[in-house]
Amino acid sequence: MPLDELTACESQLWSAFPQGAAVDVRDGSPSAEGVVRAEVAAALLLGAADVAHGDRPALRLTGARITGVLDLRFASVPYPVVLTDCRFDEAPLLRGAQTRELTLTGCELPGLDAHSAQIDGPLILSGCRLAGSLVLTRAQVHGDVDLREAVIKVPGGDAITAAGARVDGDWLCTSLATEGRFRLSGASIAGEFDLERASLRNPGGHALDAYHVQITEDFTLHPGFRAEGRIILSGATVAAAIGFCGARLSNPGDVALEAVDVNVNRNFDLGEGLTVDGGIRLDGSRTGTVLSFRHARLANPGGTVLSLNRVQAQEADMRTAAPPEGLVDLRGARIGHLHDAPESWPAGLRLAEATYDVLTSPLAAAERLDWLRRDTDDYLPQPYEQLAGTYRRLGHEDEARTVLLAKQRHRRTTLPRHTRLWGYIQDAAVGYGYRPLRAGLWLVALLSIGAVVFGLHPPGPLEAGKAPAFNAVFYTLDLLLPVITFGQEGAFAPEGTEQWLAYGLIAAGWILATAVTAGISRALSRQ
């Protein structure tokens, strides 16, 4: 480029470039017009300036308006680029470029295309304002990506698209504000991904798509994180922790957080001030330590507010600030220690095949059964068996029997009407085998009635002179006990009312014996 065609501002930049000196073209500077053509900046970065041995060239520019297109596509740029408070008329093109440090601070851009770029240092866009997409698809950054306090607005489109990007440092998005989709699917971040105080808006769409992202350190979305639209973390792998404490997620009537099949080596914290308007889906996710919803507020009225289908965690804390509004699905969950409390139980649950080793607040069985009754599925035996087993491991055999009795009563409601009678008889007789003392009480009551009646109105002997001495107690026992005999029943023949009482005692004895046998066999089979 002929030097005599440069403006005063561009000449100053050309002269400063070999030494990497900063040029400030804001009002009051020697170059007050503040305009630099993009082709001049590109010429410098592509080696047009004379650089002596020992020079440390760099493009350092403050306060300029850059006109035209800064086109560095597929170019090799061996010099740092540091621009502060500059304004671009056209979006820079860095597709496929290989550069060193790229630092833009407080700049205004119509967008930035760095698709497949390789940056051998940090990529800094802190405080920048973009009216078009930031494209980092399959880019490689051998340092941090810094988007702190940046504002990127592409309503209805992609604010940031970085699918398949590789970052060797941290991805810093503190106080980032986006309007449009933030697409990060398949990206790999060797440090942490920090969205503290960020605001992502894409109502009705995807606010953040981090499908299959891999993060070596923490994934931090607290405190102060805000999102309108769906957050997608499905398939993500996070080697440290994920934190949503103090965040606010909004996607009413739909899923606000989709984190299916996520692997987190440490905590997955969705508590302490998290507010969610919409559903949370964590199906199939695995948490190395604690999955927490403690003190969170979750609402998805009329739908599933929290889906933990097949979730695995050493601990799960379900003690939300208020009962979740909507259905909580725990089907197939595998949890070590489960923390919950009656004041945070949802109105609707799904517990099929859910298992837990310890209930840190086991409560009395009568209270805990209210938890099981919230299951919206039809009768399923497994949730009752799981709860009873938990009580047994704690040594509370009476509580376990209470749960198993409730299971049989629930099962009875599913039977055809004509088959329920036998269930009622077993329940009344021995509590389906889980209340064996009832059999003794029935026996004592019937024995007392028979002994009194037959004592007052002894039956006549069948053969006078051959019958043993009549004993009302043993005669009643002979009637009640189907197997054991004391020689009384066959020797005497009651008449009238006493005969009908004898028939009733015989029938009651057979029913009681059958109920006891069936109930105790059932109870023993569950031991």
Side-chain angles (χ1 to χ4, degrees), residues 493-523:
E495 297 180 351
T497 303
E498 289 75 20
Q499 185 178 24
W500 287 105
L501 175 61
Y503 292 158
L505 290 174
I506 291 171
W510 276 105
I511 292 173
L512 188 61
T514 305
V516 168
T517 302
I520 292 179
S521 297
R522 182 185 299 107

Short mmCIF file of all heavy atoms in Angstrom, two decimals, residues 493-523:
data_model
loop_
_atom_site.label_atom_id
_atom_site.label_comp_id
_atom_site.label_asym_id
_atom_site.label_seq_id
_atom_site.Cartn_x
_atom_site.Cartn_y
_atom_site.Cartn_z
N ALA A 493 -74.17 -82.57 71.25
CA ALA A 493 -74.98 -82.06 70.13
C ALA A 493 -75.83 -80.89 70.60
O ALA A 493 -76.85 -81.09 71.28
CB ALA A 493 -75.86 -83.17 69.57
N PRO A 494 -75.40 -79.66 70.31
CA PRO A 494 -76.19 -78.50 70.71
C PRO A 494 -77.46 -78.42 69.88
O PRO A 494 -77.56 -78.97 68.78
CB PRO A 494 -75.27 -77.32 70.44
CG PRO A 494 -74.36 -77.80 69.36
CD PRO A 494 -74.18 -79.28 69.60
N GLU A 495 -78.45 -77.71 70.40
CA GLU A 495 -79.71 -77.54 69.71
C GLU A 495 -80.11 -76.08 69.70
O GLU A 495 -79.67 -75.29 70.53
CB GLU A 495 -80.81 -78.38 70.39
CG GLU A 495 -80.55 -79.87 70.36
CD GLU A 495 -81.65 -80.66 71.06
OE1 GLU A 495 -82.51 -80.00 71.70
OE2 GLU A 495 -81.64 -81.89 70.97
N GLY A 496 -80.96 -75.74 68.71
CA GLY A 496 -81.52 -74.39 68.65
C GLY A 496 -80.46 -73.33 68.40
O GLY A 496 -79.58 -73.46 67.53
N THR A 497 -80.52 -72.27 69.20
CA THR A 497 -79.60 -71.13 69.03
C THR A 497 -78.16 -71.57 69.21
O THR A 497 -77.25 -71.11 68.49
CB THR A 497 -79.94 -70.02 70.04
OG1 THR A 497 -81.31 -69.64 69.85
CG2 THR A 497 -79.04 -68.82 69.84
N GLU A 498 -77.92 -72.45 70.21
CA GLU A 498 -76.56 -72.91 70.46
C GLU A 498 -75.99 -73.67 69.26
O GLU A 498 -74.79 -73.64 69.00
CB GLU A 498 -76.51 -73.79 71.72
CG GLU A 498 -76.72 -73.05 73.03
CD GLU A 498 -78.19 -72.66 73.24
OE1 GLU A 498 -79.07 -73.27 72.59
OE2 GLU A 498 -78.43 -71.71 74.01
N GLN A 499 -76.88 -74.37 68.52
CA GLN A 499 -76.40 -75.09 67.34
C GLN A 499 -75.91 -74.11 66.27
O GLN A 499 -74.87 -74.34 65.64
CB GLN A 499 -77.53 -75.95 66.77
CG GLN A 499 -77.07 -76.82 65.60
CD GLN A 499 -78.20 -77.70 65.09
OE1 GLN A 499 -79.39 -77.40 65.27
NE2 GLN A 499 -77.84 -78.79 64.44
N TRP A 500 -76.67 -73.03 66.06
CA TRP A 500 -76.23 -72.01 65.09
C TRP A 500 -74.93 -71.33 65.53
O TRP A 500 -74.08 -71.01 64.71
CB TRP A 500 -77.33 -70.97 64.87
CG TRP A 500 -78.47 -71.50 64.06
CD1 TRP A 500 -79.71 -71.86 64.51
CD2 TRP A 500 -78.44 -71.77 62.66
NE1 TRP A 500 -80.48 -72.33 63.49
CE2 TRP A 500 -79.73 -72.29 62.32
CE3 TRP A 500 -77.49 -71.64 61.66
CZ2 TRP A 500 -80.06 -72.67 61.03
CZ3 TRP A 500 -77.82 -72.02 60.37
CH2 TRP A 500 -79.08 -72.52 60.05
N LEU A 501 -74.79 -71.15 66.85
CA LEU A 501 -73.53 -70.58 67.35
C LEU A 501 -72.38 -71.53 67.05
O LEU A 501 -71.29 -71.12 66.65
CB LEU A 501 -73.64 -70.32 68.85
CG LEU A 501 -72.34 -69.83 69.53
CD1 LEU A 501 -71.88 -68.51 68.92
CD2 LEU A 501 -72.55 -69.69 71.04
N ALA A 502 -72.61 -72.82 67.24
CA ALA A 502 -71.56 -73.81 66.96
C ALA A 502 -71.16 -73.77 65.49
O ALA A 502 -69.96 -73.81 65.16
CB ALA A 502 -72.04 -75.21 67.34
N TYR A 503 -72.18 -73.69 64.59
CA TYR A 503 -71.85 -73.58 63.16
C TYR A 503 -71.01 -72.33 62.89
O TYR A 503 -70.04 -72.35 62.11
CB TYR A 503 -73.14 -73.52 62.34
CG TYR A 503 -73.94 -74.80 62.33
CD1 TYR A 503 -75.31 -74.76 62.04
CD2 TYR A 503 -73.35 -76.03 62.63
CE1 TYR A 503 -76.07 -75.93 62.03
CE2 TYR A 503 -74.11 -77.19 62.64
CZ TYR A 503 -75.48 -77.13 62.34
OH TYR A 503 -76.23 -78.28 62.33
N GLY A 504 -71.40 -71.23 63.51
CA GLY A 504 -70.67 -69.98 63.30
C GLY A 504 -69.24 -70.05 63.79
O GLY A 504 -68.31 -69.55 63.14
N LEU A 505 -69.05 -70.72 64.95
CA LEU A 505 -67.68 -70.85 65.48
C LEU A 505 -66.83 -71.74 64.58
O LEU A 505 -65.64 -71.49 64.38
CB LEU A 505 -67.74 -71.41 66.90
CG LEU A 505 -68.30 -70.45 67.97
CD1 LEU A 505 -68.44 -71.17 69.30
CD2 LEU A 505 -67.41 -69.22 68.12
N ILE A 506 -67.43 -72.80 64.05
CA ILE A 506 -66.67 -73.67 63.14
C ILE A 506 -66.25 -72.89 61.89
O ILE A 506 -65.08 -72.95 61.46
CB ILE A 506 -67.52 -74.90 62.74
CG1 ILE A 506 -67.72 -75.82 63.97
CG2 ILE A 506 -66.85 -75.67 61.61
CD1 ILE A 506 -68.72 -76.93 63.73
N ALA A 507 -67.20 -72.14 61.30
CA ALA A 507 -66.87 -71.35 60.11
C ALA A 507 -65.82 -70.29 60.43
O ALA A 507 -64.87 -70.08 59.66
CB ALA A 507 -68.14 -70.69 59.55
N ALA A 508 -65.98 -69.62 61.57
CA ALA A 508 -65.02 -68.60 61.96
C ALA A 508 -63.64 -69.20 62.15
O ALA A 508 -62.61 -68.60 61.80
CB ALA A 508 -65.48 -67.90 63.23
N GLY A 509 -63.59 -70.42 62.71
CA GLY A 509 -62.30 -71.08 62.92
C GLY A 509 -61.59 -71.36 61.61
O GLY A 509 -60.38 -71.14 61.48
N TRP A 510 -62.35 -71.88 60.63
CA TRP A 510 -61.74 -72.16 59.34
C TRP A 510 -61.28 -70.87 58.64
O TRP A 510 -60.18 -70.81 58.07
CB TRP A 510 -62.73 -72.91 58.44
CG TRP A 510 -62.74 -74.37 58.70
CD1 TRP A 510 -63.69 -75.09 59.37
CD2 TRP A 510 -61.74 -75.30 58.31
NE1 TRP A 510 -63.35 -76.42 59.42
CE2 TRP A 510 -62.14 -76.58 58.77
CE3 TRP A 510 -60.52 -75.20 57.62
CZ2 TRP A 510 -61.40 -77.75 58.57
CZ3 TRP A 510 -59.78 -76.36 57.41
CH2 TRP A 510 -60.20 -77.61 57.88
N ILE A 511 -62.10 -69.85 58.70
CA ILE A 511 -61.72 -68.57 58.07
C ILE A 511 -60.50 -68.00 58.75
O ILE A 511 -59.54 -67.55 58.09
CB ILE A 511 -62.90 -67.58 58.15
CG1 ILE A 511 -64.04 -68.05 57.24
CG2 ILE A 511 -62.44 -66.18 57.74
CD1 ILE A 511 -65.31 -67.22 57.39
N LEU A 512 -60.49 -68.04 60.08
CA LEU A 512 -59.35 -67.50 60.83
C LEU A 512 -58.08 -68.28 60.52
O LEU A 512 -57.02 -67.70 60.29
CB LEU A 512 -59.67 -67.53 62.33
CG LEU A 512 -58.66 -66.83 63.25
CD1 LEU A 512 -58.57 -65.36 62.91
CD2 LEU A 512 -59.08 -67.00 64.72
N ALA A 513 -58.20 -69.61 60.49
CA ALA A 513 -57.02 -70.42 60.22
C ALA A 513 -56.48 -70.17 58.82
O ALA A 513 -55.25 -70.07 58.60
CB ALA A 513 -57.37 -71.90 60.38
N THR A 514 -57.39 -70.07 57.84
CA THR A 514 -56.97 -69.82 56.47
C THR A 514 -56.32 -68.45 56.33
O THR A 514 -55.28 -68.28 55.67
CB THR A 514 -58.17 -69.92 55.51
OG1 THR A 514 -58.79 -71.19 55.69
CG2 THR A 514 -57.73 -69.77 54.08
N ALA A 515 -56.91 -67.45 56.97
CA ALA A 515 -56.37 -66.10 56.91
C ALA A 515 -54.99 -66.02 57.56
O ALA A 515 -54.07 -65.39 57.05
CB ALA A 515 -57.32 -65.11 57.57
N VAL A 516 -54.87 -66.71 58.70
CA VAL A 516 -53.57 -66.72 59.39
C VAL A 516 -52.51 -67.39 58.51
O VAL A 516 -51.40 -66.88 58.36
CB VAL A 516 -53.69 -67.44 60.75
CG1 VAL A 516 -52.32 -67.73 61.32
CG2 VAL A 516 -54.51 -66.61 61.71
N THR A 517 -52.86 -68.53 57.93
CA THR A 517 -51.91 -69.25 57.09
C THR A 517 -51.48 -68.41 55.89
O THR A 517 -50.29 -68.28 55.58
CB THR A 517 -52.52 -70.57 56.61
OG1 THR A 517 -52.88 -71.35 57.74
CG2 THR A 517 -51.52 -71.34 55.75
N ALA A 518 -52.48 -67.81 55.20
CA ALA A 518 -52.16 -67.00 54.02
C ALA A 518 -51.35 -65.77 54.38
O ALA A 518 -50.37 -65.42 53.72
CB ALA A 518 -53.45 -66.59 53.31
N GLY A 519 -51.75 -65.13 55.46
CA GLY A 519 -51.07 -63.89 55.84
C GLY A 519 -49.66 -64.11 56.30
O GLY A 519 -48.72 -63.43 55.89
N ILE A 520 -49.46 -65.12 57.16
CA ILE A 520 -48.11 -65.38 57.68
C ILE A 520 -47.21 -65.88 56.57
O ILE A 520 -46.03 -65.52 56.49
CB ILE A 520 -48.18 -66.36 58.85
CG1 ILE A 520 -48.87 -65.68 60.05
CG2 ILE A 520 -46.79 -66.85 59.23
CD1 ILE A 520 -49.02 -66.55 61.26
N SER A 521 -47.74 -66.70 55.67
CA SER A 521 -46.92 -67.15 54.53
C SER A 521 -46.48 -65.97 53.69
O SER A 521 -45.33 -65.90 53.24
CB SER A 521 -47.73 -68.12 53.67
OG SER A 521 -48.06 -69.27 54.40
N ARG A 522 -47.38 -65.02 53.48
CA ARG A 522 -47.03 -63.83 52.70
C ARG A 522 -45.97 -63.00 53.42
O ARG A 522 -45.01 -62.54 52.81
CB ARG A 522 -48.27 -62.98 52.46
CG ARG A 522 -48.00 -61.74 51.62
CD ARG A 522 -49.24 -60.86 51.52
NE ARG A 522 -50.35 -61.57 50.88
CZ ARG A 522 -51.42 -62.02 51.53
NH1 ARG A 522 -51.52 -61.83 52.83
NH2 ARG A 522 -52.37 -62.64 50.88
N ALA A 523 -46.15 -62.84 54.71
CA ALA A 523 -45.18 -62.04 55.47
C ALA A 523 -43.81 -62.70 55.47
O ALA A 523 -42.79 -62.05 55.28
CB ALA A 523 -45.68 -61.84 56.90
#
